[in-house]
Amino acid sequence: MMNEIPEKLITAIKKSRYVVAFTGAGISAEAGIPTYRGEGGLWDKYDPNLYANIDYFLQDPSYYWNFFREVRYPLLKNAGPSQGHLALAEMEAGGNLKTVITQNIDGLHQVAGSSSVVELHGTTRIIFCMNCSQEYTMDKAFSLLMEEFPPRCSKCRGRLRPAVIFFGESLDPHVLRSAYEEAGKCDMLLVVGSSLVVYPAAEIPLVARQKGATLVIINKEKTGLDHEADFIIQGKAGDVLPQIIQSLRE
Ligand code: APR
């Protein structure tokens, strides 16, 4: 579907010296990964207090590991990058984008070829032992899960967990600092596919804005920060971003 891309936005992107993207679940929706909120959102079916909260995970990890077995792993194991992921990787390759700051834990920006990615909420592609820190791939964790539920470390029998930030956990300060640094350096922040309701992640666009960056929001629906945006393009990431790339080439 064709969206209206303002000529002024294309000019602004061409003039920008440091463009950063800030992405959410919406950019992975077209890769077959459901978003958390809005129509068909994961949190409508899976209560995040049970399935994505650190206190509950430590008390009873079976909710999370059922979610991993039934939803997370099956969706991710075959998922490829969306047109939106690929477009951001192309923008980086073409020198129009420096970094992607993502809230997503699916690793699809890296699969698409983005080389500078800040994963605010970690990654579900790494599973590690809470006792000896032995790391496992998602595939290996799934096979351990098939042998024993919940899965245990094959080295020390310790309990495993994903390298994600659960609700109730603080973000890694080093990762957060990198994100704040990028937001402070950029003169344009492209927000793609986020409802912008979860903090401290949603602070990042505000930091960029306060530093004078142009704020562009590309989203299927209204977001929590539309009132701060210089440009708002309501549409699918997989339609809008390739159109922006096309216009940059002209
Ligand atoms: N293209 C662009 N935007 C889309 C698309 C699409 N194809 N499909 C859905 N969207 C939009 C939705 O309208 C919604 O506003 O993407 C947004 C996704 O919002 P959320 O599901 O809230 O995801 P996100 O903003 O990434 O959530 C932030 O909340 O649950 C936590 O840790 C989790 O990282 C996540 C954080």
Side-chain angles (χ1 to χ4, degrees):
M1 186 192 141
M2 294 304 282
N3 299 81
E4 191 49 48
I5 312 292
E7 190 49 46
K8 270 178 63 181
L9 172 57
I10 300 303
T11 309
I13 295 176
K14 286 178 178 171
K15 277 190 186 152
S16 292
R17 72 186 152 66
Y18 204 99
V19 180
V20 169
F22 177 88
T23 66
I27 199 166
S28 297
E30 290 159 88
I33 315 279
T35 59
Y36 296 99
R37 300 168 184 83
E39 140 209 4
L42 276 175
W43 295 155
D44 291 343
K45 298 184 201 98
Y46 296 91
D47 178 353
N49 294 311
L50 295 179
Y51 290 90
N53 177 290
I54 187 59
D55 299 326
Y56 218 94
F57 178 77
L58 294 174
Q59 190 187 332
D60 177 0
S62 63
Y63 282 92
Y64 173 78
W65 287 113
N66 273 317
F67 177 70
F68 178 87
R69 179 173 55 189
E70 290 157 20
V71 180
R72 197 50 94 205
Y73 181 72
L75 284 173
L76 262 182
K77 78 173 183 326
N78 299 319
S82 68
Q83 288 306 311
H85 290 112
L86 293 168
L88 290 182
E90 193 177 332
M91 282 181 77
E92 179 190 339
N96 292 112
L97 185 77
K98 299 289 184 193
T99 296
V100 176
I101 301 169
T102 188
Q103 301 170 90
N104 299 338
I105 55 171
D106 54 35
L108 289 176
H109 283 298
Q110 294 91 324
V111 175
S114 290
S115 58
S116 174
V117 182
V118 177
E119 293 177 305
L120 284 175
H121 296 156
T123 176
T124 203
R125 290 187 185 265
I126 296 171
I127 310 290
F128 66 88
C129 173
M130 294 195 285
N131 180 49
C132 73
S133 306
Q134 170 68 35
E135 285 190 0
Y136 298 90
T137 63
M138 209 170 49
D139 292 334
K140 179 61 184 162
F142 187 76
S143 60
L144 290 171
L145 181 61
M146 289 298 105
E147 288 162 23
E148 182 179 6
F149 186 90
R152 286 198 171 269
C153 176
S154 40
K155 256 178 76 181
C156 75
R157 300 284 303 148
R159 286 172 48 179
L160 303 184
R161 64 160 287 171
V164 301
I165 304 292
F166 280 110
F167 282 113
E169 283 191 300
S170 306
L171 273 63
D172 177 325
H174 301 292
V175 171
L176 204 49
R177 197 194 61 217
S178 305
Y180 274 101
E181 268 171 9
E182 290 301 309
K185 276 196 273 189
C186 77
D187 56 0
M188 176 179 282
L189 190 83
L190 290 174
V191 175
V192 185
S194 179
S195 57
L196 295 174
V197 296
V198 171
Y199 286 79
E203 285 285 348
I204 300 302
L206 291 172
V207 166
R209 191 89 186 78
Q210 279 147 18
K211 295 280 183 88
T214 300
L215 183 60
V216 183
I217 296 182
I218 299 165
N219 205 61
K220 222 170 76 167
E221 296 157 291
K222 290 191 177 314
T223 77
L225 292 184
D226 279 3
H227 59 285
E228 294 280 351
D230 297 286
F231 295 94
I232 296 174
I233 304 176
Q234 280 212 348
K236 288 184 164 187
D239 295 336
V240 173
L241 289 171
Q243 282 175 241
I244 288 176
I245 292 218
Q246 191 54 42
S247 306
L248 286 172
R249 285 195 195 118
E250 283 155 14

